[in-house]
Amino acid sequence: MSTTPDPAASPSALQRLREELPQLNPGNRRIAEAILADPLAAGDSSITALAESAETFPGAVSRFARKLGYAGFPALRAAIALDNGRAAQSGWERDIGTAITPADSSGDVLDILAGTAARALRDAAAVIDQAQVERAADAITAAERVHLHGEWGDSIAVRELYLRLQRIGVAVWCHESGPRTLDLVSRTFTERDVVLVLNRSGKDRTALELLRSAERAGATTIAVHGVPGSALEQAADIPLYTGIRNGTVWTQHFAGRASDTLLTSMLWLLVAQRRSADPTMRFVDDGTLQPHTPAAPHRDHS
């Protein structure tokens, strides 16, 4: 008597269909192709609907299921649905990780995210090299121009740093364009510039080339990264490790973003302190520069 195969001891239903497809006769091949074309629909389909999709009869679908070793079409359909669930879970874990599951409530999600950010901030604060951040702040304060670069998720903290520095009067540009535009920008670098890149992986080729171009021009280079010992760290005059290693799933990236924001926020505040202490920079607490206006000459109307 035929029984449903043990899922743990045999290939998945969809995998078996893919493997056996070349050897199937034309009728069974149409059934297999209909299932593989839309596994989600097949896992929730009636035998009649699947037969119509495969241009065959329900009896042929039932015989095909038994040929595969299942008790009938309902057992095959259940195995396909199980495969669909496994694929969805695998995709979730690959992209988001295991800290949060599809079944977690909104309260659970909030607690996990808050806990992840809190741990990331605590761990980063214990590791960030304050002396290096101070060196970077000194360099930015003294620079004639500051160039920032970050792509995709790396651009989030960079974009905020750009807006904050701009608000306190720093001559700063944020570059998120492609390699050709960055190549043109790099030709304007001078020894009076600072070039800061943020790349968590520490191996982005565009970021590396930008640092190398800046180095050739004599500019000071700063690299904010998430991988100690990376190529980016070694290429920069002032490497700044955020304290959280670069991750592979979204929840790890979320922790890394928290550390990015912590470090870049510290950096801009140190620059703001230095600018406010220098009366020639005219820094005031509303974030604007107060241009020095010469007093009007005194006229004696007597």
Side-chain angles (χ1 to χ4, degrees):
M1 178 176 169
S2 178
T3 58
T4 302
D6 177 7
S10 60
S12 70
L14 296 176
Q15 181 182 347
R16 293 182 65 198
L17 288 175
R18 295 186 188 98
E19 291 175 350
E20 297 189 19
L21 189 64
Q23 288 79 41
L24 297 176
N25 64 42
N28 286 341
R29 181 177 297 181
R30 287 197 304 273
I31 298 171
E33 288 174 342
I35 293 171
L36 293 173
D38 193 350
L40 288 175
D44 193 38
S45 177
S46 68
I47 191 171
T48 302
L50 180 59
E52 290 178 355
S53 178
E55 299 180 354
T56 189
F57 301 99
V61 174
S62 183
R63 288 192 296 272
F64 177 62
R66 290 195 295 272
K67 176 179 175 63
L68 293 176
Y70 295 92
F73 175 69
L76 173 59
R77 180 175 57 194
I80 294 169
L82 179 62
D83 273 8
N84 291 333
R86 286 171 173 166
Q89 182 65 24
S90 175
W92 175 281
E93 292 178 359
R94 184 171 56 250
D95 288 345
I96 298 176
T98 58
I100 299 172
T101 72
D104 286 332
S105 68
S106 58
D108 291 336
V109 171
L110 178 59
D111 287 345
I112 293 167
L113 289 179
T116 299
R119 285 191 299 274
L121 293 175
R122 182 181 64 246
D123 294 345
V127 174
I128 288 173
D129 189 331
Q130 297 177 42
Q132 286 289 80
V133 183
E134 290 179 358
R135 283 186 61 204
D138 288 338
I140 290 174
T141 303
E144 184 174 277
R145 298 180 305 173
V146 177
H147 299 272
L148 309 178
H149 171 70
E151 294 184 338
W152 296 94
D154 295 328
S155 69
I156 297 171
V158 166
R159 173 58 64 172
E160 182 176 1
L161 178 61
Y162 161 71
L163 294 173
R164 295 294 181 185
L165 290 175
Q166 187 180 58
R167 188 170 183 266
I168 60 173
V170 175
V172 59
W173 284 262
C174 185
H175 306 292
E176 301 178 56
S177 305
R180 289 190 176 182
T181 301
L182 290 175
D183 178 59
L184 294 175
V185 169
S186 69
R187 298 181 190 184
T188 70
F189 293 159
T190 73
E191 69 278 1
R192 298 183 298 277
D193 292 346
V194 164
V195 177
L196 180 151
V197 302
L198 194 161
N199 175 240
R200 289 206 56 78
S201 72
K203 60 183 180 181
D204 180 72
R205 297 174 69 178
T206 300
L208 280 167
E209 185 52 42
L210 197 62
L211 287 190
R212 288 166 182 155
S213 297
E215 180 186 26
R216 289 192 292 269
T220 301
T221 57
I222 303 171
V224 181
H225 65 92
V227 181
S230 65
L232 199 72
E233 179 185 61
Q234 296 172 24
D237 296 321
I238 308 175
L240 300 176
Y241 173 46
T242 69
I244 300 297
R245 282 189 171 272
N246 189 45
T248 57
V249 295
W250 183 85
T251 45
Q252 294 170 345
H253 291 309
F254 176 73
R257 298 297 167 235
S259 70
D260 291 348
T261 301
L262 176 65
L263 189 146
T264 54
S265 296
M266 177 185 177
L267 179 58
W268 97 264
L269 282 167
L270 293 181
V271 173
Q273 286 179 336
R274 285 154 173 73
R275 289 183 65 83
S276 66
D278 186 341
T280 66
M281 294 185 179
R282 303 293 182 183
F283 174 80
V284 292
D285 60 4
D286 69 353
T288 63
L289 289 178
Q290 297 293 320
H292 178 65
T293 304
H298 176 71
R299 296 181 180 179
D300 189 349
H301 296 286
S302 58

